[in-house]
Protein backbone atom coordinates (compact mmCIF):
# COMPACT_ATOMS: atom_id res chain seq x y z
CA UNK A 1 0.00 0.00 0.00
CA UNK A 2 2.89 2.37 0.63
CA UNK A 3 3.84 2.27 -3.05
CA UNK A 4 0.25 3.00 -4.05
CA UNK A 5 0.24 6.01 -1.78
CA UNK A 6 3.51 7.28 -3.19
CA UNK A 7 2.08 6.79 -6.68
CA UNK A 8 -0.42 9.52 -5.86
CA UNK A 9 2.40 12.02 -5.54
CA UNK A 10 3.65 11.50 -9.07
CA UNK A 11 0.18 12.29 -10.34
CA UNK A 12 0.12 15.60 -8.48
CA UNK A 13 3.39 16.69 -10.10
CA UNK A 14 2.29 15.97 -13.65
CA UNK A 15 1.53 18.71 -16.12
CA UNK A 16 -1.92 20.29 -16.19
CA UNK A 17 -4.23 21.69 -18.81
CA UNK A 18 -6.70 19.19 -20.25
CA UNK A 19 -10.37 19.89 -20.81
CA UNK A 20 -12.97 19.38 -18.10
CA UNK A 21 -14.98 17.34 -20.57
CA UNK A 22 -12.26 14.67 -20.66
CA UNK A 23 -13.67 11.19 -21.13
CA UNK A 24 -11.80 8.11 -19.79
CA UNK A 25 -10.15 5.84 -22.34
CA UNK A 26 -12.63 3.51 -24.00
CA UNK A 27 -11.94 -0.14 -23.16
CA UNK A 28 -14.53 -1.57 -25.55
CA UNK A 29 -11.81 -3.61 -27.23
CA UNK A 30 -13.27 -7.12 -27.10
CA UNK A 31 -11.84 -8.16 -30.47
CA UNK A 32 -8.29 -7.15 -29.54
CA UNK A 33 -8.53 -8.76 -26.10
CA UNK A 34 -9.85 -12.00 -27.57
CA UNK A 35 -7.04 -12.16 -30.15
CA UNK A 36 -4.43 -11.43 -27.48
CA UNK A 37 -5.77 -14.13 -25.13
CA UNK A 38 -5.73 -16.78 -27.83
CA UNK A 39 -2.09 -16.07 -28.56
CA UNK A 40 -1.14 -15.67 -24.90
CA UNK A 41 -2.76 -18.99 -23.93
CA UNK A 42 -0.97 -20.77 -26.73
CA UNK A 43 2.38 -19.27 -25.75
CA UNK A 44 1.90 -20.17 -22.09
CA UNK A 45 1.03 -23.76 -23.01
CA UNK A 46 4.15 -23.90 -25.18
CA UNK A 47 6.24 -22.71 -22.21
CA UNK A 48 4.81 -25.46 -19.98
CA UNK A 49 5.45 -28.03 -22.72
CA UNK A 50 9.08 -26.90 -22.93
CA UNK A 51 9.40 -27.22 -19.13
CA UNK A 52 8.09 -30.78 -19.31
CA UNK A 53 10.82 -31.66 -21.81
CA UNK A 54 13.56 -30.36 -19.50
CA UNK A 55 12.45 -31.19 -15.94
CA UNK A 56 10.82 -33.98 -14.02
CA UNK A 57 9.49 -34.90 -10.60
CA UNK A 58 8.59 -32.26 -8.06
CA UNK A 59 10.47 -29.51 -9.91
CA UNK A 60 8.35 -30.16 -12.99
CA UNK A 61 5.08 -30.20 -11.08
CA UNK A 62 5.92 -27.01 -9.18
CA UNK A 63 7.08 -25.12 -12.28
CA UNK A 64 4.05 -26.25 -14.26
CA UNK A 65 1.76 -25.10 -11.46
CA UNK A 66 3.45 -21.69 -11.32
CA UNK A 67 2.94 -21.08 -15.03
CA UNK A 68 -0.58 -22.49 -15.09
CA UNK A 69 -1.64 -20.36 -12.14
CA UNK A 70 0.03 -17.30 -13.63
CA UNK A 71 -1.65 -17.90 -16.98
CA UNK A 72 -5.06 -18.21 -15.33
CA UNK A 73 -4.52 -15.07 -13.24
CA UNK A 74 -3.24 -13.00 -16.15
CA UNK A 75 -6.14 -14.06 -18.36
CA UNK A 76 -8.50 -12.83 -15.63
CA UNK A 77 -6.73 -9.47 -15.63
CA UNK A 78 -7.09 -9.14 -19.39
CA UNK A 79 -10.77 -10.11 -19.30
CA UNK A 80 -11.26 -7.63 -16.46
CA UNK A 81 -10.03 -4.86 -18.78
CA UNK A 82 -6.96 -4.11 -16.67
CA UNK A 83 -5.12 -3.28 -19.90
CA UNK A 84 -5.86 -1.07 -22.87
CA UNK A 85 -5.24 -1.92 -26.52
CA UNK A 86 -4.59 0.18 -29.61
CA UNK A 87 -3.72 3.45 -27.88
CA UNK A 88 -1.20 6.22 -28.45
CA UNK A 89 0.67 4.79 -25.44
CA UNK A 90 1.29 1.60 -27.42
CA UNK A 91 2.41 3.59 -30.45
CA UNK A 92 4.92 5.47 -28.31
CA UNK A 93 6.31 2.29 -26.71
CA UNK A 94 6.60 0.48 -30.04
CA UNK A 95 8.65 3.38 -31.37
CA UNK A 96 10.99 3.22 -28.38
CA UNK A 97 11.45 -0.54 -28.68
CA UNK A 98 12.33 -0.20 -32.37
CA UNK A 99 15.06 2.23 -31.37
CA UNK A 100 16.29 -0.17 -28.67
CA UNK A 101 16.54 -3.01 -31.20
CA UNK A 102 19.10 -0.96 -33.12
CA UNK A 103 22.54 -2.56 -32.63
CA UNK A 104 21.06 -4.95 -30.03
CA UNK A 105 20.36 -8.32 -31.68
CA UNK A 106 19.78 -9.92 -28.26
CA UNK A 107 16.53 -7.97 -27.85
CA UNK A 108 13.62 -10.32 -28.67
CA UNK A 109 12.03 -9.51 -32.02
CA UNK A 110 8.46 -10.52 -31.15
CA UNK A 111 7.80 -8.23 -28.18
CA UNK A 112 4.12 -7.44 -27.67
CA UNK A 113 2.90 -4.34 -25.82
CA UNK A 114 0.21 -4.06 -23.16
CA UNK A 115 -0.57 -0.80 -21.36
CA UNK A 116 -1.77 -1.41 -17.79
CA UNK A 117 -4.33 0.83 -16.08
CA UNK A 118 -1.99 1.17 -13.13
CA UNK A 119 -0.82 4.47 -11.62
CA UNK A 120 2.52 3.18 -10.29
CA UNK A 121 5.58 3.85 -12.51
CA UNK A 122 6.54 0.29 -13.35
CA UNK A 123 7.01 -2.16 -16.21
CA UNK A 124 7.63 -5.90 -16.58
CA UNK A 125 8.08 -8.50 -19.28
CA UNK A 126 6.28 -11.86 -19.41
CA UNK A 127 7.80 -15.18 -20.44
CA UNK A 128 6.22 -15.01 -23.92
CA UNK A 129 7.66 -11.57 -24.67
CA UNK A 130 4.62 -9.53 -23.67
CA UNK A 131 5.81 -6.19 -22.36
CA UNK A 132 3.53 -4.60 -19.77
CA UNK A 133 3.92 -0.85 -19.28
CA UNK A 134 2.06 0.86 -16.45
CA UNK A 135 0.37 4.11 -17.41
CA UNK A 136 1.95 5.62 -14.30
CA UNK A 137 5.36 5.71 -16.00
CA UNK A 138 4.11 8.55 -18.19
CA UNK A 139 2.79 10.40 -15.17
CA UNK A 140 6.14 10.26 -13.37
CA UNK A 141 9.10 10.31 -15.79
CA UNK A 142 10.35 13.32 -17.73
CA UNK A 143 10.50 12.11 -21.32
CA UNK A 144 10.57 9.15 -23.72
CA UNK A 145 14.28 8.57 -23.12
CA UNK A 146 13.65 7.79 -19.45
CA UNK A 147 10.85 5.40 -20.37
CA UNK A 148 13.23 3.70 -22.80
CA UNK A 149 15.68 3.33 -19.89
CA UNK A 150 13.06 1.52 -17.80
CA UNK A 151 12.25 -0.73 -20.75
CA UNK A 152 15.96 -1.47 -21.21
CA UNK A 153 16.25 -2.52 -17.56
CA UNK A 154 13.30 -4.89 -17.94
CA UNK A 155 14.80 -6.26 -21.15
CA UNK A 156 17.88 -7.06 -19.08
CA UNK A 157 15.71 -9.17 -16.78
CA UNK A 158 14.09 -10.83 -19.79
CA UNK A 159 17.35 -11.66 -21.57
CA UNK A 160 18.87 -13.11 -18.39
CA UNK A 161 15.64 -15.03 -17.72
CA UNK A 162 15.66 -13.89 -14.10
CA UNK A 163 12.04 -14.83 -13.39
CA UNK A 164 12.44 -18.45 -14.42
CA UNK A 165 15.76 -18.82 -12.58
CA UNK A 166 14.16 -17.33 -9.46
CA UNK A 167 11.28 -19.82 -9.65
CA UNK A 168 13.79 -22.68 -9.79
CA UNK A 169 15.74 -21.40 -6.78
CA UNK A 170 12.56 -20.87 -4.75
CA UNK A 171 11.40 -24.44 -5.43
CA UNK A 172 14.83 -25.83 -4.56
CA UNK A 173 15.10 -23.79 -1.34
CA UNK A 174 11.55 -24.59 -0.24
CA UNK A 175 12.22 -28.29 -0.58
CA UNK A 176 15.42 -27.98 1.48
CA UNK A 177 13.59 -25.96 4.16
CA UNK A 178 10.81 -28.54 4.43
CA UNK A 179 13.34 -31.30 4.98
CA UNK A 180 15.19 -29.26 7.62
CA UNK A 181 12.00 -28.32 9.48
CA UNK A 182 10.82 -31.92 9.41
CA UNK A 183 14.11 -33.02 10.96
CA UNK A 184 13.66 -30.43 13.72
CA UNK A 185 10.13 -31.67 14.42
CA UNK A 186 11.23 -35.29 14.55
CA UNK A 187 13.77 -34.67 17.33
CA UNK A 188 11.00 -34.46 19.92
CA UNK A 189 7.24 -34.38 20.04
CA UNK A 190 7.21 -31.23 22.16
CA UNK A 191 8.77 -28.17 20.49
CA UNK A 192 11.14 -26.33 22.80
CA UNK A 193 12.04 -22.64 22.64
CA UNK A 194 15.36 -23.48 20.99
CA UNK A 195 13.56 -25.43 18.28
CA UNK A 196 11.23 -22.49 17.66
CA UNK A 197 14.33 -20.34 17.25
CA UNK A 198 15.80 -22.84 14.78
CA UNK A 199 12.60 -22.76 12.72
CA UNK A 200 12.63 -18.94 12.76
CA UNK A 201 16.29 -18.95 11.69
CA UNK A 202 15.41 -21.10 8.68
CA UNK A 203 12.67 -18.65 7.74
CA UNK A 204 14.99 -15.66 8.27
CA UNK A 205 17.89 -17.11 6.30
CA UNK A 206 15.59 -18.06 3.43
CA UNK A 207 14.29 -14.49 3.20
CA UNK A 208 17.80 -13.08 3.39
CA UNK A 209 19.00 -15.40 0.65
CA UNK A 210 16.12 -14.48 -1.63
CA UNK A 211 16.78 -10.80 -0.94
CA UNK A 212 20.44 -11.15 -1.92
CA UNK A 213 19.53 -12.94 -5.16
CA UNK A 214 16.93 -10.31 -6.08
CA UNK A 215 19.42 -7.50 -5.49
CA UNK A 216 21.97 -9.26 -7.66
CA UNK A 217 19.35 -9.60 -10.39
CA UNK A 218 18.55 -5.89 -10.21
CA UNK A 219 22.22 -4.95 -10.50
CA UNK A 220 22.67 -7.31 -13.44
CA UNK A 221 19.57 -5.96 -15.20
CA UNK A 222 20.84 -2.39 -14.63
CA UNK A 223 24.15 -3.14 -16.34
CA UNK A 224 22.77 -5.14 -19.24
CA UNK A 225 19.94 -2.64 -19.66
CA UNK A 226 22.39 0.23 -19.88
CA UNK A 227 24.44 -1.56 -22.56
CA UNK A 228 21.25 -1.98 -24.61
CA UNK A 229 20.36 1.67 -24.01
CA UNK A 230 23.87 2.89 -24.86
CA UNK A 231 24.01 0.89 -28.09
CA UNK A 232 20.87 2.65 -29.31
CA UNK A 233 20.51 6.33 -30.20
CA UNK A 234 19.46 7.58 -26.76
CA UNK A 235 21.31 10.14 -24.65
CA UNK A 236 23.40 8.01 -22.26
CA UNK A 237 22.89 10.09 -19.13
CA UNK A 238 19.11 9.71 -19.36
CA UNK A 239 19.52 6.16 -18.07
CA UNK A 240 20.70 7.49 -14.72
CA UNK A 241 18.07 10.25 -14.83
CA UNK A 242 15.37 7.60 -15.00
CA UNK A 243 16.77 5.74 -11.99
CA UNK A 244 16.98 8.99 -10.05
CA UNK A 245 13.33 9.74 -10.78
CA UNK A 246 12.41 6.26 -9.57
CA UNK A 247 14.48 6.89 -6.45
CA UNK A 248 12.22 9.89 -5.80
CA UNK A 249 9.22 7.60 -6.20
CA UNK A 250 10.66 5.25 -3.58
CA UNK A 251 11.37 7.98 -1.04
CA UNK A 252 9.05 10.96 -1.48
CA UNK A 253 5.97 11.40 0.72
CA UNK A 254 2.58 12.56 -0.58
CA UNK A 255 1.64 16.16 0.11
CA UNK A 256 -0.57 16.81 3.08
CA UNK A 257 -4.29 17.39 2.72
CA UNK A 258 -5.21 20.57 4.55
CA UNK A 259 -7.97 20.60 7.17
CA UNK A 260 -9.47 23.48 5.21
CA UNK A 261 -9.87 21.13 2.24
CA UNK A 262 -11.99 18.74 4.30
CA UNK A 263 -14.17 21.62 5.49
CA UNK A 264 -14.51 23.05 2.00
CA UNK A 265 -15.54 19.74 0.42
CA UNK A 266 -17.69 18.27 3.20
CA UNK A 267 -19.49 21.23 4.78
CA UNK A 268 -22.70 20.55 2.84
CA UNK A 269 -26.03 22.38 2.73
CA UNK A 270 -27.87 19.47 4.34
CA UNK A 271 -24.96 18.20 6.45
CA UNK A 272 -22.68 20.62 8.29
CA UNK A 273 -19.03 19.71 8.78
CA UNK A 274 -18.44 17.92 12.07
CA UNK A 275 -15.06 18.44 13.76
CA UNK A 276 -15.41 15.00 15.36
CA UNK A 277 -14.79 13.49 11.92
CA UNK A 278 -11.15 14.56 12.22
CA UNK A 279 -10.54 12.84 15.56
CA UNK A 280 -7.43 10.64 15.44
CA UNK A 281 -6.96 7.29 17.11
CA UNK A 282 -3.92 6.98 19.41
CA UNK A 283 -1.64 4.22 18.15
CA UNK A 284 1.40 5.13 20.24
CA UNK A 285 1.14 2.01 22.40
CA UNK A 286 0.86 -0.41 19.50
CA UNK A 287 3.90 -2.36 18.35
CA UNK A 288 3.44 -3.18 14.68
CA UNK A 289 7.04 -4.14 14.02
CA UNK A 290 7.49 -6.92 16.57
CA UNK A 291 8.53 -9.45 13.96
CA UNK A 292 9.87 -7.04 11.38
CA UNK A 293 12.42 -5.72 13.86
CA UNK A 294 13.82 -9.23 14.28
CA UNK A 295 14.91 -9.20 10.65
CA UNK A 296 17.63 -7.17 9.06
CA UNK A 297 15.74 -4.61 6.99
CA UNK A 298 18.52 -4.12 4.46
CA UNK A 299 18.69 -7.84 3.79
CA UNK A 300 14.93 -7.94 3.24
CA UNK A 301 15.00 -5.27 0.56
CA UNK A 302 13.94 -6.74 -2.79
CA UNK A 303 15.36 -3.73 -4.64
CA UNK A 304 18.70 -2.34 -3.54
CA UNK A 305 18.61 1.30 -2.61
CA UNK A 306 18.52 3.19 -5.90
CA UNK A 307 21.50 5.30 -4.86
CA UNK A 308 23.58 2.12 -4.57
CA UNK A 309 22.43 0.98 -7.99
CA UNK A 310 23.33 4.34 -9.50
CA UNK A 311 26.74 4.33 -7.81
CA UNK A 312 27.42 0.83 -9.13
CA UNK A 313 26.52 1.88 -12.67
CA UNK A 314 28.78 4.93 -12.49
CA UNK A 315 31.59 2.77 -11.18
CA UNK A 316 31.17 0.25 -14.03
CA UNK A 317 30.49 2.79 -16.78
CA UNK A 318 32.59 5.87 -16.11
CA UNK A 319 30.82 7.95 -18.78
CA UNK A 320 27.78 8.03 -16.48
CA UNK A 321 29.62 10.05 -13.84
CA UNK A 322 28.75 13.22 -15.74
CA UNK A 323 25.15 14.25 -15.10
CA UNK A 324 22.96 15.52 -17.94
CA UNK A 325 19.87 17.68 -18.07
CA UNK A 326 16.73 15.73 -19.03
CA UNK A 327 15.81 16.03 -22.70
CA UNK A 328 12.75 18.07 -23.63
CA UNK A 329 9.81 15.68 -24.09
CA UNK A 330 8.07 15.36 -27.44
CA UNK A 331 4.57 16.71 -28.00
CA UNK A 332 3.24 13.14 -27.97
CA UNK A 333 4.85 12.46 -24.58
CA UNK A 334 3.37 15.66 -23.11
CA UNK A 335 -0.07 14.63 -24.37
CA UNK A 336 0.28 11.12 -22.92
CA UNK A 337 1.46 12.58 -19.61
CA UNK A 338 -1.75 14.61 -19.44
CA UNK A 339 -3.84 11.57 -20.31
CA UNK A 340 -2.12 9.47 -17.62
CA UNK A 341 -2.94 12.19 -15.12
CA UNK A 342 -6.62 12.33 -16.07
CA UNK A 343 -6.85 8.52 -16.03
CA UNK A 344 -5.70 8.37 -12.39
CA UNK A 345 -9.23 8.41 -10.93
CA UNK A 346 -10.73 6.02 -13.52
CA UNK A 347 -7.82 3.67 -12.81
CA UNK A 348 -8.38 3.72 -9.04
CA UNK A 349 -12.10 3.20 -9.58
CA UNK A 350 -11.47 0.29 -11.96
CA UNK A 351 -9.15 -1.42 -9.47
CA UNK A 352 -11.74 -0.83 -6.70
CA UNK A 353 -9.32 1.35 -4.72
CA UNK A 354 -12.20 3.65 -3.79
CA UNK A 355 -10.52 5.03 -0.68
CA UNK A 356 -7.42 6.03 -2.65
CA UNK A 357 -9.71 7.45 -5.32
CA UNK A 358 -11.31 9.79 -2.78
CA UNK A 359 -7.90 10.76 -1.40
CA UNK A 360 -6.59 11.51 -4.91
CA UNK A 361 -9.72 13.46 -5.89
CA UNK A 362 -9.36 15.58 -2.74
CA UNK A 363 -5.72 16.32 -3.64
CA UNK A 364 -6.66 17.43 -7.15
CA UNK A 365 -9.53 19.56 -5.84
CA UNK A 366 -7.26 21.10 -3.23
CA UNK A 367 -5.12 22.26 -6.16
CA UNK A 368 -8.28 23.63 -7.83
CA UNK A 369 -7.94 21.38 -10.84
CA UNK A 370 -10.76 20.28 -13.15
CA UNK A 371 -13.39 20.81 -10.45
CA UNK A 372 -16.37 19.23 -12.24
CA UNK A 373 -14.37 16.22 -13.35
CA UNK A 374 -12.86 15.36 -9.96
CA UNK A 375 -16.02 16.12 -8.00
CA UNK A 376 -17.87 13.64 -10.21
CA UNK A 377 -15.31 10.95 -9.30
CA UNK A 378 -15.57 11.95 -5.65
CA UNK A 379 -19.28 11.15 -5.86
CA UNK A 380 -18.71 7.84 -7.62
CA UNK A 381 -16.14 6.67 -5.09
CA UNK A 382 -18.23 7.74 -2.09
CA UNK A 383 -21.18 5.82 -3.53
CA UNK A 384 -19.07 2.67 -3.62
CA UNK A 385 -17.82 3.31 -0.08
CA UNK A 386 -21.45 3.66 1.04
CA UNK A 387 -22.38 0.32 -0.55
CA UNK A 388 -19.38 -1.35 1.09
CA UNK A 389 -20.17 0.11 4.52
CA UNK A 390 -23.80 -0.97 4.19
CA UNK A 391 -22.71 -4.50 3.25
CA UNK A 392 -20.11 -4.74 6.06
CA UNK A 393 -17.14 -5.15 3.72
CA UNK A 394 -15.57 -1.70 3.88
CA UNK A 395 -12.17 -3.20 4.78
CA UNK A 396 -11.95 -4.43 1.22
CA UNK A 397 -11.99 -0.92 -0.22
CA UNK A 398 -10.63 1.31 2.53
CA UNK A 399 -7.33 0.79 4.35
CA UNK A 400 -6.98 0.46 8.07
CA UNK A 401 -4.49 2.78 9.76
CA UNK A 402 -0.89 1.55 9.85
CA UNK A 403 1.20 4.27 11.52
CA UNK A 404 4.52 2.71 10.53
CA UNK A 405 3.66 2.56 6.82
CA UNK A 406 1.52 5.62 6.08
CA UNK A 407 2.04 9.38 5.97
CA UNK A 408 0.37 11.53 8.62
CA UNK A 409 -1.82 13.02 5.91
CA UNK A 410 -3.09 9.63 4.81
CA UNK A 411 -3.64 8.51 8.41
CA UNK A 412 -5.72 11.65 9.01
CA UNK A 413 -7.73 10.84 5.88
CA UNK A 414 -8.39 7.27 7.04
CA UNK A 415 -9.46 8.52 10.48
CA UNK A 416 -11.89 10.87 8.75
CA UNK A 417 -13.32 8.11 6.55
CA UNK A 418 -13.75 5.59 9.38
CA UNK A 419 -15.32 8.24 11.63
CA UNK A 420 -18.14 8.87 9.15
CA UNK A 421 -21.44 7.12 9.86
CA UNK A 422 -23.35 5.24 7.19
CA UNK A 423 -25.87 8.06 6.78
CA UNK A 424 -23.12 10.68 6.61
CA UNK A 425 -21.35 8.77 3.85
CA UNK A 426 -24.63 8.52 1.94
CA UNK A 427 -25.26 12.25 2.27
CA UNK A 428 -21.83 13.04 0.83
CA UNK A 429 -22.30 10.55 -2.01
CA UNK A 430 -25.76 11.89 -2.84
CA UNK A 431 -24.55 15.51 -2.80
CA UNK A 432 -21.77 14.91 -5.29
CA UNK A 433 -23.84 12.60 -7.46
CA UNK A 434 -26.53 15.29 -7.61
CA UNK A 435 -23.97 17.92 -8.56
CA UNK A 436 -22.64 15.61 -11.27
CA UNK A 437 -26.14 15.27 -12.73
CA UNK A 438 -26.60 19.05 -12.69
CA UNK A 439 -23.21 19.57 -14.34
CA UNK A 440 -24.08 17.13 -17.12
CA UNK A 441 -27.41 18.85 -17.69
CA UNK A 442 -25.68 22.18 -18.08
Amino acid sequence: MTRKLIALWCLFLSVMGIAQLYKPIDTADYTQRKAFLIKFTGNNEATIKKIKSQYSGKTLSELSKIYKDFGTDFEKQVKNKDFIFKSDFETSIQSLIQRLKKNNPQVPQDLKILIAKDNTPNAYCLADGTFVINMGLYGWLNNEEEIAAVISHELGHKIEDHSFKTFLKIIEQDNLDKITVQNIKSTTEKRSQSQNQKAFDIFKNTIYKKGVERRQNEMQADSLGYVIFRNSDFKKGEYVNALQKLEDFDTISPRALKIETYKKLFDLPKQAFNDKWMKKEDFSLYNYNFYKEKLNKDSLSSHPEMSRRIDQLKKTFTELKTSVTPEKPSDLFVTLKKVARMEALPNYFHSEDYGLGIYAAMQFLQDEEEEKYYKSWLGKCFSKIYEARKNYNLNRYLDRIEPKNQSESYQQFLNFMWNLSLDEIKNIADFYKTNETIAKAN
Side-chain angles (χ1 to χ4, degrees):
M1 181 51 61
T2 300
R3 293 184 67 81
K4 282 189 176 182
L5 282 177
I6 297 173
L8 288 174
W9 183 243
C10 70
L11 300 169
F12 305 143
L13 294 180
S14 303
V15 293
M16 298 180 283
I18 201 164
Q20 284 187 348
L21 297 177
Y22 176 83
K23 294 182 179 179
I25 292 175
D26 185 8
T27 54
D29 44 23
Y30 173 78
T31 302
Q32 290 88 348
R33 281 187 283 119
K34 182 179 179 181
F36 173 84
L37 283 173
I38 291 173
K39 192 165 187 179
F40 172 79
T41 302
N43 289 340
N44 201 50
E45 290 174 351
T47 298
I48 295 173
K49 186 176 180 180
K50 181 179 178 181
I51 290 171
K52 289 180 178 178
S53 69
Q54 296 176 335
Y55 299 92
S56 61
K58 194 162 187 177
T59 300
L60 169 60
S61 62
E62 292 288 341
L63 282 173
S64 296
K65 185 177 186 304
I66 287 172
Y67 280 93
K68 285 179 182 178
D69 290 347
F70 168 77
T72 300
D73 181 67
F74 197 77
E75 286 179 23
K76 287 180 180 178
Q77 293 180 46
V78 174
K79 291 177 180 178
N80 191 46
K81 300 183 181 181
D82 290 356
F83 308 96
I84 59 175
F85 295 82
K86 300 295 181 183
S87 69
D88 289 338
F89 287 101
E90 181 180 351
T91 302
S92 172
I93 298 298
Q94 287 284 13
S95 175
L96 295 176
I97 288 178
Q98 288 304 315
R99 292 170 66 183
L100 288 171
K101 287 181 178 179
K102 183 179 179 180
N103 302 322
N104 290 302
Q106 72 272 43
V107 174
Q109 296 300 307
D110 59 343
L111 292 174
K112 297 167 287 295
I113 307 300
L114 274 185
I115 306 299
K117 298 171 66 176
D118 191 318
N119 295 326
T120 55
N122 199 11
Y124 55 94
C125 194
L126 308 183
D128 71 335
T130 298
F131 225 110
V132 179
I133 307 292
N134 285 359
M135 204 178 290
L137 274 177
Y138 281 83
W140 184 240
L141 299 182
N142 292 310
N143 51 43
E144 296 96 331
E145 306 248 338
E146 292 180 6
I147 288 185
V150 174
I151 294 173
S152 298
H153 172 86
E154 296 304 324
L155 283 172
H157 282 305
K158 170 64 178 173
I159 292 168
E160 291 295 330
D161 210 6
H162 283 153
S163 294
F164 184 77
K165 292 175 182 177
T166 298
F167 292 152
L168 280 177
K169 290 178 180 178
I170 289 174
I171 292 170
E172 178 184 358
Q173 188 62 48
D174 285 348
N175 290 336
L176 290 173
D177 290 346
K178 288 177 182 178
I179 294 173
T180 304
V181 171
Q182 188 60 43
N183 289 337
I184 292 174
K185 288 182 178 180
S186 65
T187 58
T188 180
E189 292 183 4
K190 185 176 181 180
R191 291 174 61 84
S192 66
Q193 184 175 354
S194 62
Q195 288 168 330
N196 283 329
Q197 183 61 46
K198 287 180 181 178
F200 180 80
D201 287 344
I202 292 172
F203 164 72
K204 178 182 66 177
N205 292 332
T206 298
I207 293 178
Y208 286 175
K209 185 175 180 180
K210 290 176 181 177
V212 169
E213 291 170 352
R214 285 193 291 266
R215 290 198 297 276
Q216 290 174 342
N217 288 346
E218 291 300 323
M219 293 287 194
Q220 190 176 28
D222 280 341
S223 294
L224 181 53
Y226 174 65
V227 171
I228 293 171
F229 189 83
R230 181 182 63 182
N231 289 346
S232 305
D233 57 354
F234 296 102
K235 193 173 181 179
K236 298 174 184 177
E238 290 283 19
Y239 195 85
V240 172
N241 287 345
L243 295 183
Q244 288 173 334
K245 283 293 289 183
L246 294 175
E247 181 180 20
D248 290 341
F249 175 76
D250 282 337
T251 59
I252 203 165
S253 297
R255 280 179 306 179
L257 274 176
K258 302 173 183 177
I259 301 299
E260 291 75 15
T261 300
Y262 289 89
K263 293 181 177 180
K264 180 180 179 180
L265 293 174
F266 303 119
D267 187 17
L268 310 181
K270 295 182 180 181
Q271 181 172 279
F273 186 85
N274 191 335
D275 289 328
K276 291 182 179 179
W277 293 341
M278 307 306 291
K279 183 180 179 181
K280 295 181 181 179
E281 186 173 353
D282 184 9
F283 287 89
S284 61
L285 299 179
Y286 288 71
N287 184 0
Y288 288 94
N289 281 339
F290 178 72
Y291 288 104
K292 289 184 181 179
E293 288 172 357
K294 298 180 73 173
L295 304 174
N296 182 294
K297 292 182 179 179
D298 180 63
S299 296
L300 286 175
S301 176
S302 60
H303 287 72
E305 292 180 9
M306 197 64 75
S307 57
R308 288 169 53 194
R309 290 169 58 180
I310 293 171
D311 288 343
Q312 183 62 40
L313 275 170
K314 290 181 177 180
K315 183 178 180 180
T316 306
F317 305 99
T318 55
E319 69 268 25
L320 293 178
K321 291 182 178 180
T322 303
S323 60
V324 300
T325 302
E327 291 282 291
K328 181 180 178 181
S330 69
D331 290 342
L332 174 59
F333 183 88
V334 172
T335 298
L336 293 176
K337 192 176 185 73
K338 293 177 182 178
V339 171
R341 182 178 179 80
M342 298 300 288
E343 287 291 319
L345 269 295
N347 288 349
Y348 282 130
F349 193 84
H350 173 77
S351 61
E352 299 184 338
D353 287 318
Y354 305 126
L356 280 173
I358 292 171
Y359 188 67
M362 291 176 66
Q363 288 275 13
F364 286 125
L365 290 167
Q366 179 172 271
D367 292 341
E368 299 182 344
E369 292 187 42
E370 309 294 346
E371 185 171 322
K372 290 181 181 179
Y373 181 73
Y374 290 116
K375 281 186 175 179
S376 72
W377 283 105
L378 196 62
K380 291 175 184 176
C381 289
F382 260 105
S383 294
K384 289 295 186 180
I385 290 293
Y386 168 70
E387 293 175 11
R389 182 70 172 267
K390 186 172 63 174
N391 295 322
Y392 302 99
N393 63 349
L394 186 55
N395 277 320
R396 180 177 174 183
Y397 309 106
L398 183 66
D399 295 328
R400 284 290 187 181
I401 300 170
E402 299 177 14
K404 298 294 184 180
N405 298 318
Q406 298 161 341
S407 69
E408 290 185 13
S409 175
Y410 191 60
Q411 289 178 58
Q412 174 66 84
F413 167 74
L414 293 176
N415 274 289
F416 164 76
M417 292 296 296
W418 284 104
N419 287 337
L420 292 170
S421 70
L422 180 64
D423 288 341
E424 289 166 343
I425 293 172
K426 185 177 188 303
N427 289 336
I428 294 173
D430 288 346
F431 175 80
Y432 282 104
K433 284 173 64 179
T434 300
N435 276 268
E436 178 187 4
T437 302
I438 293 174
K440 287 181 178 179
N442 293 335

